[in-house]
Amino acid sequence: MDKMQGETVRLDRASNRLLIVDQTRFPNEKVVLELQTLDEMVVAIQTLQVRGAPAIGVAAALGLSVLAGESRETDAEKFKAEFLKNADAIKRARPTAVNLAWAVGQMRDVLQENPDVPVPVLKELLYQKAQALHDADVAVCRAIGENGAPLLKTCKRVLTHCNAGRLATVKYGTALAPVYIAKEQGHSLSVYADETRPLLQGARLTAYELCEAGIETTVLCDNMASYVMGNGLVDAVLVGCDRVAANGDTANKIGTSGVAILAKYYHIPFYVCAPFSTIDLNTETGKDIPIEMRNGEEIRSLWYQKPMVPAAAKTLNPAFDITPHELVTAFITEKGVLQPEDFKTV
Ligand code: MRU
């Protein structure tokens, strides 16, 4: 039987392990990792074995439940101190996707809401909360798909950047959820997947999962988006996001803002698909979103037999960029198709 049961992230209760599909191994291998220690979990998030804003949030919550289950502390205060230390280490693993901090916050709330309960009960409550966050991700992504699919009724071809599909969530994805739901409803779209340098999430992951689902997929180098848009081959752009500021400025995989600028130029609708856990009303504008800087070796040598950058050249490797809110046609969320002014009222 498929250990993952069609999901990207899950908790196996019998073994008390966090199970993740290792996203560094696609498209050539499907490997399931079973994680049990804090170090394994932090490394999995930092090295993108588990990645995509919703998936890292759920992995963090399930991971904290696993660590709580492994704890030998019997004194509630010491158990809580250990839990908070683990929570802090996991939260710090990646800075940009707010879902990570949000999910860790949800788990910490369990302790605050239950001040006087013994350790075994706390462990069970933490498990239930983590599992609820996991289940909610499936429902929320499906709702994003259902709200987005009607917007694509007259579209034939969409373009996406990075991977915001089922591999980036527990199941349906965010940006690709409308494509999956449209297919369920009998409307097949074809997808242009930007390869997404330097880590190739589009080429390796988006193309993998769409082809597996029987959806026509064409991989483009990142610098080809203008070509396809300019030739009238793209009817809409769908992207995911790692954090949306209160004014609608959106952090997503590096290169997204360039795609948004092109979409505006060619008069193509540009939709950001987001669960509400990605909307951070405490962050006013995109300027306040921390951008993760990653190792230059991802650019210099990762996919090559020999380095492809002269040793004397420097590298710059920001993992995300900010798309200004005025370039976003609408936000497709589980609560409907929204504009930033709706965030506080829905
Ligand atoms: O660095 P990654 O691969 O975690 O970046 C992921 C993205 O930028 C996704 O588009 C975003 O997290 C949304 S996933 C539904």
Side-chain angles (χ1 to χ4, degrees):
M1 202 183 66
D2 177 13
K3 250 193 232 173
M4 295 309 292
Q5 300 173 8
E7 298 180 345
T8 304
V9 187
R10 59 182 288 270
L11 191 159
D12 181 55
R13 197 111 208 248
S15 61
N16 195 38
R17 298 282 196 281
L18 171 63
L19 307 189
I20 58 168
V21 181
D22 183 349
Q23 304 206 25
T24 63
R25 308 290 280 268
F26 286 115
N28 299 314
E29 287 172 297
K30 184 170 176 186
V31 175
V32 173
L33 301 177
E34 303 190 12
L35 313 181
Q36 200 182 20
T37 68
L38 176 64
D39 278 0
E40 287 170 344
M41 292 170 196
V42 169
V43 166
I45 294 172
Q46 286 175 339
T47 61
L48 276 58
Q49 287 172 324
V50 61
R51 53 148 295 283
I56 57 177
V58 172
L62 296 177
L64 283 170
S65 168
V66 167
L67 296 175
E70 293 302 301
S71 174
R72 301 225 171 117
E73 292 293 353
T74 50
D75 174 82
E77 288 316 308
K78 288 186 182 156
F79 172 83
K80 285 182 194 175
E82 181 188 85
F83 178 90
L84 292 176
K85 219 170 139 202
N86 291 339
D88 197 46
I90 289 184
K91 184 178 152 187
R92 280 189 282 106
R94 290 191 80 188
T96 304
V98 74
N99 307 59
L100 180 58
W102 175 83
V104 168
Q106 295 277 309
M107 295 295 284
R108 291 169 62 128
D109 287 351
V110 173
L111 300 191
Q112 280 205 332
E113 287 156 12
N114 297 280
D116 299 317
V117 297
V119 170
V121 180
L122 276 179
K123 288 184 178 183
E124 180 58 25
L125 290 172
L126 286 165
Y127 166 72
Q128 282 171 12
K129 182 67 179 187
Q131 197 54 41
L133 292 173
H134 163 281
D135 297 349
D137 184 75
V138 178
V140 159
C141 288
R142 193 169 168 92
I144 290 172
E146 284 165 353
N147 290 333
L151 299 173
L152 306 177
K153 276 231 159 77
T154 58
C155 299
K156 289 196 179 113
R157 294 149 305 196
V158 299
L159 182 142
T160 190
H161 190 75
C162 193
N163 172 263
R166 70 174 175 81
L167 290 171
T169 65
V170 177
K171 206 167 180 176
Y172 292 102
T174 58
L176 298 185
V179 175
Y180 289 130
I181 300 297
K183 185 166 195 275
E184 270 181 34
Q185 296 170 349
H187 176 44
S188 285
L189 291 144
S190 89
V191 179
Y192 286 108
D194 285 349
E195 67 174 350
T196 318
R197 283 278 297 161
L199 292 180
L200 306 186
Q201 289 94 331
R204 296 187 303 106
L205 308 176
T206 298
Y208 175 90
E209 65 164 89
L210 288 173
C211 291
E212 193 179 57
I215 292 170
E216 186 181 281
T217 307
T218 306
V219 175
L220 301 172
C221 298
D222 295 330
N223 50 4
M224 296 170 188
S226 180
Y227 173 88
V228 284
M229 289 186 186
N231 281 286
L233 301 175
V234 177
D235 304 312
V237 177
L238 295 168
V239 296
C241 51
D242 287 80
R243 191 185 301 220
V244 180
N247 73 340
D249 290 351
T250 296
N252 191 47
K253 181 52 52 194
I254 189 74
T256 303
S257 65
V259 176
I261 291 165
L262 290 172
K264 180 93 170 175
Y265 180 80
Y266 290 114
H267 307 290
I268 296 167
F270 180 91
Y271 297 113
V272 171
C273 302
F276 249 73
S277 53
T278 310
I279 298 173
D280 182 5
L281 295 176
N282 296 320
T283 297
E284 239 173 87
T285 75
K287 287 200 173 63
D288 308 309
I289 299 177
I291 299 293
E292 177 184 4
M293 287 289 169
R294 295 186 64 86
N295 191 323
E297 287 309 311
E298 292 177 351
I299 295 173
R300 194 182 288 282
S301 59
L302 181 62
W303 305 110
Y304 307 120
Q305 285 181 331
K306 292 181 182 165
M308 279 296 146
V309 177
K314 295 195 273 187
T315 53
L316 177 71
N317 191 10
F320 301 95
D321 63 18
I322 306 293
T323 298
H325 60 92
E326 59 271 20
L327 299 181
V328 179
T329 308
F331 293 85
I332 305 175
T333 76
E334 71 272 32
K335 299 188 187 180
V337 179
L338 307 178
Q339 296 299 322
E341 51 271 27
D342 304 321
F343 291 166
K344 285 191 182 145
T345 52
V346 286

